[in-house]
Amino acid sequence: MINPIALLVLLVNVMILVAIVAGIIYLAYWSIKALKKYVNSTEVRKEKTSVKKSLGEALKDQRTRCKMTQEFVAESIGVSRQAVSKWESGISDPSTSNLLALARLYGISAEELLSQVHKKEG
């Protein structure tokens, strides 16, 4: 005859083993599902990793593209070099008239200049 306590211990051990295996299967299922979602989201990942520019970064990019110094830009549009530096570092923004003058100086339209600017997420 089988000892009832030994049978009960065996039954509890089997139930624990089934619960552990079920937990592993559950975690594997959700891990695979998350991985598939991540792999299929390349467009979203590319969009998030694309360079987001502030107005200052766009201004600096245009100035360096045109091989101009901050001092040259400042003298050309009639402001101080420190003003140009503040615009490029994002401390302040140029007035509308200065923004138009910068775009003209860089040989692009104001719309082109502003189209390079993206809202930073955060």
Side-chain angles (χ1 to χ4, degrees):
M1 174 121 184
I2 299 176
N3 185 352
I5 294 178
L7 187 59
L8 184 61
V9 169
L10 179 63
L11 183 61
V12 168
N13 285 337
V14 168
M15 289 175 61
I16 290 172
L17 184 61
V18 167
I20 291 172
V21 169
I24 291 171
I25 291 171
Y26 180 78
L27 285 174
Y29 170 77
W30 284 108
S31 297
I32 290 169
K33 190 172 181 176
L35 185 59
K36 280 180 71 176
K37 186 175 182 177
Y38 178 77
V39 167
N40 293 331
S41 68
T42 56
E43 188 173 302
V44 173
R45 284 185 286 126
K46 283 181 185 175
E47 181 180 297
K48 288 190 181 254
T49 59
S50 69
V51 177
K52 304 288 185 189
K53 289 186 185 178
S54 67
L55 176 58
E57 291 167 332
L59 292 172
K60 183 175 182 178
D61 287 350
Q62 287 300 318
R63 179 179 59 78
T64 55
R65 178 187 63 82
C66 294
K67 296 180 174 73
M68 297 177 184
T69 64
Q70 287 182 345
E71 190 171 341
F72 178 81
V73 170
E75 289 174 8
S76 298
I77 65 171
V79 297
S80 68
R81 188 203 54 77
Q82 289 82 1
V84 175
S85 176
K86 286 180 182 180
W87 298 338
E88 290 182 0
S89 64
I91 294 172
S92 65
D93 291 328
S95 65
T96 305
S97 60
N98 285 334
L99 188 63
L100 293 171
L102 288 166
R104 215 172 13 255
L105 180 64
Y106 298 147
I108 60 172
S109 68
E111 291 80 17
E112 278 181 276
L113 181 59
L114 293 175
S115 71
Q116 298 173 14
V117 178
H118 302 282
K119 266 190 179 171
K120 291 198 178 209
E121 294 178 22

